[in-house]
Every structure is written in C-alpha cells, then in structure tokens.
Amino acid sequence: MFAEPVLKEIGARHGKTSGQIALRYLIQNGIAVIPKSVHRERMAENLAVLDFALTPSEFSAISRLNGNSSLFGWY
C-alpha cells in the first residue's frame, strides 16, 4: 500500500508520506484510526496528519484505488 503511486504523488504535494496520506484519508472519511508503532519517529509521523486536508480530487483519486469500495465493507 505504501508504494502505491497515487498515495506517493499526493504525499509529495503535501510533503507527507504515503502512510500519512492513508491516515488522513481515513480521518477525513470519518473513520477512527489507531495507528500502531513502537518507533518514536513513526509515532510523531502518525500524529502529523492534522495539519493538512486532502482536496476533493485527491480524496476521489484515493477512493478509486479499490473500485470505490472498502475492503472492510463500510461503503
């Protein structure tokens, strides 16, 4: 997932990693996330997702990655 070109491209625009883009997407979609890490750097990275927002076109591009359906059956 973290090598997904769409996530990498959006991340480059925002100065964020693919993981941060994925977390922001979930948060903007109203899904509670509990990221897990034992590494201090990654914990800080996981918290640094509230200082930007995905644009409607970015949000839409990410939604299309899985054929507009969730792997978890949420929508």
Side-chain angles (χ1 to χ4, degrees):
M1 172 179 102
F2 299 120
E4 170 57 52
V6 171
L7 296 180
K8 290 175 104 173
E9 178 185 321
I10 294 169
R13 274 186 255 157
H14 291 280
K16 303 292 182 179
T17 66
S18 296
Q20 287 173 302
I21 297 302
L23 285 173
R24 183 63 203 184
Y25 173 80
L26 293 171
I27 290 168
Q28 263 185 245
N29 204 27
I31 298 169
V33 294
I34 304 172
K36 176 192 167 288
S37 182
V38 296
H39 303 284
R40 182 178 294 277
E41 308 83 39
R42 189 83 67 225
M43 289 178 200
E45 185 180 290
N46 289 339
L47 290 172
V49 297
L50 301 176
D51 60 347
F52 75 102
L54 298 171
T55 66
S57 63
E58 291 170 337
F59 195 88
S60 192
I62 296 169
S63 294
R64 286 192 304 272
L65 290 176
N66 196 35
N68 286 323
S69 64
S70 170
L71 292 174
F72 306 103
W74 291 330
Y75 55 90

